[in-house]
Amino acid sequence: MSLDQSAQNQTPQPLPGLHVAVIMDGNGRWAQNRGWPRLVGHRKGAERVRELVNACPDLGIRYLTLYAFSTENWKRSTEEIMGLMSLFARYIKREAGRMNSEGVRMRVIGDRSRLAPKLRALFDWIETETEANDRMFLTVAINYGGRDEIRRAVQAVARDVASGALTPDAVSDTLLSGYLDTSALPDPDLVVRTSGETRVSNFLLWQAAYSEYVFTPVLWPDFSPETMRLILDAYRQRERRFGGVTP
Ligand code: FPP
């Protein structure tokens, strides 16, 4: 195949390394608006996750990080919590094959110690199963909170200082980033929150220091790859200066 032909066959990827993080909000309201149980909204939300992951290479998203269960979500009913945990397990079992054929590497971030041993084993399994993939990186935050993550990282740093493996002066931003759950990921370029709420809700507090934010009224079960495409179009119009000035 000539160079010209191979260029024509490639999907254009204007921002190949883009990291987009999403606070998937509004599942409960979507279901309640229809008089349905909240879990129906979460189920529909899982379908939207599947569609978005599949669309990421076309959208130019290499890293997708999804907030699926926060450290605060334990306040919900046992039925809803158990339903969500089953959805996470089902998603992994159903999508493992496709993730491998599409080159998706999946990781789970958050504190796993409170999760059921079977679910933890499934997370370990999918991380190993997909570890050789590098076309796209899917990270799912489960029992995740930004403050909790920073606290755990600081505790680990303190342990290393106490053991003499580190000096206090060696603790830089870069070093601390390496102790976070997201150590293998670049910082997010863009954080999207659905459902019209305009809060950060403890998501990627350290990592999103310079991220752009987009808040959309769309409820997560109505969020399609096309919605993301429009958001990315708007994102590309923005100018990111990282605290500097326009040259
Ligand atoms: C927030 O909406 C959503 C959640 C707490 C759960 C997100 C989970 C999914 C989308 C399911 C599948 C995920 C994966 C990764 C397979 P909400 O219930 O708080 O909505 P509300 O504010 O309208 O009540």
Side-chain angles (χ1 to χ4, degrees):
M1 185 188 291
S2 75
L3 269 180
D4 278 345
Q5 275 172 325
S6 80
Q8 275 167 16
N9 290 342
Q10 276 166 10
T11 311
Q13 296 198 355
L15 292 165
L18 202 64
H19 181 177
V20 178
V22 187
I23 304 175
M24 308 178 290
D25 200 5
N27 293 350
R29 271 165 288 167
W30 183 91
Q32 281 165 341
N33 290 344
R34 291 161 173 77
W36 296 338
R38 296 176 56 82
L39 265 174
V40 178
H42 294 316
R43 247 176 256 140
K44 187 76 185 169
E47 284 172 32
R48 294 316 203 175
V49 169
R50 189 172 302 123
E51 284 171 16
L52 183 59
V53 170
N54 292 334
C56 275
D58 278 348
L59 291 166
I61 298 173
R62 184 134 196 252
Y63 303 88
L64 180 70
T65 300
L66 302 173
Y67 204 5
F69 193 92
S70 77
T71 45
E72 288 72 38
N73 284 151
W74 297 105
K75 293 176 197 150
R76 299 186 177 206
S77 71
T78 309
E79 185 192 4
E80 186 170 349
I81 293 169
M82 298 308 284
L84 279 167
M85 298 298 161
S86 314
L87 264 183
F88 302 147
R90 203 177 316 155
Y91 186 89
I92 289 171
K93 288 179 199 160
R94 282 194 187 166
E95 294 301 305
R98 197 201 303 245
M99 284 194 257
N100 271 335
S101 62
E102 297 297 319
V104 178
R105 179 169 186 174
M106 179 174 171
R107 288 195 187 89
V108 177
I109 57 168
D111 179 1
R112 298 186 195 187
S113 63
R114 201 173 161 180
L115 305 177
K118 246 176 119 172
L119 191 59
R120 279 153 57 178
L122 195 61
F123 292 169
D124 291 343
W125 174 77
I126 194 70
E127 287 180 343
T128 308
E129 184 70 13
T130 64
E131 72 186 348
N133 301 336
D134 63 359
R135 184 165 171 244
M136 197 218 140
F137 298 85
L138 169 65
T139 305
V140 182
I142 294 175
N143 193 27
Y144 174 88
R147 285 188 177 179
D148 182 69
E149 178 192 37
I150 293 168
R151 178 191 55 74
R152 285 185 281 111
V154 169
Q155 281 176 333
V157 168
R159 263 183 237 115
D160 284 350
V161 169
S163 75
L166 261 186
T167 63
D169 287 344
V171 183
S172 61
D173 288 5
T174 311
L175 182 127
L176 191 55
S177 294
Y179 279 79
L180 296 174
D181 297 351
T182 51
S183 59
L185 301 174
D187 286 344
D189 299 288
L190 170 67
V191 180
V192 175
R193 182 170 189 153
T194 61
S195 93
E197 306 292 346
T198 50
R199 292 182 298 278
V200 170
S201 293
N202 210 3
F203 189 44
L204 303 178
L205 296 181
W206 173 276
Q207 300 87 337
Y210 290 102
S211 304
E212 293 289 327
Y213 277 85
V214 168
F215 299 98
T216 169
V218 175
L219 303 177
W220 179 253
D222 290 326
F223 192 98
S224 66
E226 187 52 25
T227 321
M228 182 62 93
R229 192 182 301 281
L230 294 172
I231 287 172
L232 291 176
D233 286 347
Y235 165 79
R236 289 186 179 107
Q237 306 300 318
R238 295 188 186 176
E239 184 189 13
R240 297 181 73 201
R241 296 202 304 264
F242 298 94
V245 292
T246 309

